[in-house]
Amino acid sequence: MAEFFQYVVAASLVIAGIFGIVGSFGLIKLNDPMSRLHAPTKATTLGVGGVLIASMVHALMVEHHLSVHELLITIFLFLTAPITANFIAKAHIHRHCTAEDLPDPAPDARWAGLTEEEADTPDAQ
Amino acid sequence: MIIEYAIYFAAFCFGSSLLMNLWKIVSAEGVGDRVLALDTMVINAIALMVLFGMWKGTEIYFEAAMLIAMLGFVSTVAYARFMLRGNIIE
């Protein structure tokens, strides 16, 4: 039985490594800055999640003690990765986009990264 | 035994990811890409530390990985805030 779980740990480690390298390769390969945002924030986070799952299974099934630190790190990373992605996207809108580049926001709202003068589109006035 | 080889493979993957991120930090044309690459470096460093803890069979590295995760999040938010507003604490 322990041998089976060794294979589980090894498989999730290999999958995690592939996800991690795909995320970072996407970071240098993709062309558009907002496309580049996708690769590290999703694939790399999944890769780290795979490593942490492997670590939990390893501690529980191979070394026979329960370890919950990994769960803390996983929850923290999965909570913070979308927040950082949102912040970086907002900063990108603020620095590089005008209201004409973006789709129209909801009727009584404006884009968060734009200042009030930038958000006033000519056709809205 | 097979776990050890899997750890080597994963460490190779995350180590070369770190090198790619470093290359991106050097060669990026915008500051947003640099912040993104730095954030990815933090996440890859966490993965490497957890792998090292598994390899050595100790648990002390999980605490270090937790600390790095928190500091990495805070520093990325501070960088993004600086890009967005020009200062961090208003």
Side-chain angles (χ1 to χ4, degrees), chain A residues 31-118:
Chain A
N31 295 319
D32 184 46
M34 287 294 100
S35 309
R36 278 199 289 270
L37 189 60
H38 285 279
T41 53
K42 292 172 186 68
T44 308
T45 310
L46 269 183
V48 177
V51 170
L52 294 163
I53 286 171
S55 177
M56 278 190 82
V57 175
H58 180 73
L60 189 61
M61 291 299 171
V62 181
E63 293 179 353
H64 302 294
H65 61 89
L66 183 65
S67 170
V68 287
H69 300 98
E70 293 94 335
L71 210 58
L72 276 178
I73 301 175
T74 314
I75 292 170
F76 189 78
L77 276 181
F78 276 55
L79 280 179
T80 56
I83 299 174
T84 49
N86 186 13
F87 266 107
I88 292 171
K90 231 184 201 178
H92 178 266
I93 286 179
H94 176 67
R95 292 172 70 92
H96 297 291
C97 294
T98 58
E100 288 87 38
D101 304 332
L102 299 166
D104 287 335
D108 54 348
R110 62 186 175 84
W111 282 93
L114 300 179
T115 57
E116 268 179 56
E117 306 88 63
E118 287 170 334

